[in-house]
């Protein structure tokens, strides 16, 4: 049995399957501009917060994504969502 295969690996929020909740495991703050990082912090997004990807824009694969952070639904630019690492919840 491959133990590494049984341990869930973090994925980027931009690639998380739709409607599958996960928990933020890390944020690459250095990939974000100062205003983008401040906005995420103001929204309460940090390690340990539960998120769920609701919708991906199909605009050339680069459009924004809609996600749920706690009880809020917010739109994030694709590169911002790509800086957020999420562990899919095992129950989902």
């Amino acid at each position: 049995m491959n133990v590494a295969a049984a341990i869930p690996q973090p994925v980027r929020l931009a690639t998380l399957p739709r409607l599958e909740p996960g928990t933020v495991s890390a944020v690459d703050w250095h990939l974000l501009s100062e205003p983008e990082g401040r906005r995420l912090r103001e929204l309460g997004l940090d390690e340990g917060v539960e998120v769920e990807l609701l919708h991906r824009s199909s605009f050339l694969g680069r459009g924004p994504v809609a996600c749920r952070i706690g009880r809020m639904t917010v739109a994030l630019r694709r590169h911002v969502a790509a800086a957020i690492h999420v562990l899919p919840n095992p129950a989902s």
Side-chain angles (χ1 to χ4, degrees):
M1 176 177 178
N2 186 355
V3 176
I7 299 173
Q9 298 296 313
V11 297
R12 297 182 183 272
L13 177 59
T15 61
L16 184 72
R18 285 184 57 230
L19 306 177
E20 184 174 309
T23 303
V24 175
S25 62
V27 179
D28 291 332
W29 297 109
H30 65 281
L31 297 178
L32 305 173
S33 69
E34 186 178 326
E36 291 168 338
R38 183 175 46 240
R39 179 172 180 250
L40 288 183
R41 288 185 181 99
E42 289 172 352
L43 292 171
L45 195 136
D46 209 344
E47 293 179 17
V49 172
E50 189 163 309
V51 295
E52 181 179 4
L53 183 67
L54 300 175
H55 180 74
R56 279 187 197 95
S57 169
S58 59
F59 181 72
L60 303 175
R62 293 181 286 174
V65 299
C67 64
R68 183 173 294 132
I69 302 172
R71 297 184 328 181
M72 297 180 294
T73 301
V74 298
L76 299 174
R77 292 182 175 142
R78 186 73 59 116
H79 77 275
V80 173
I84 301 167
H85 300 266
V86 178
L87 275 173
N89 288 351
S92 58

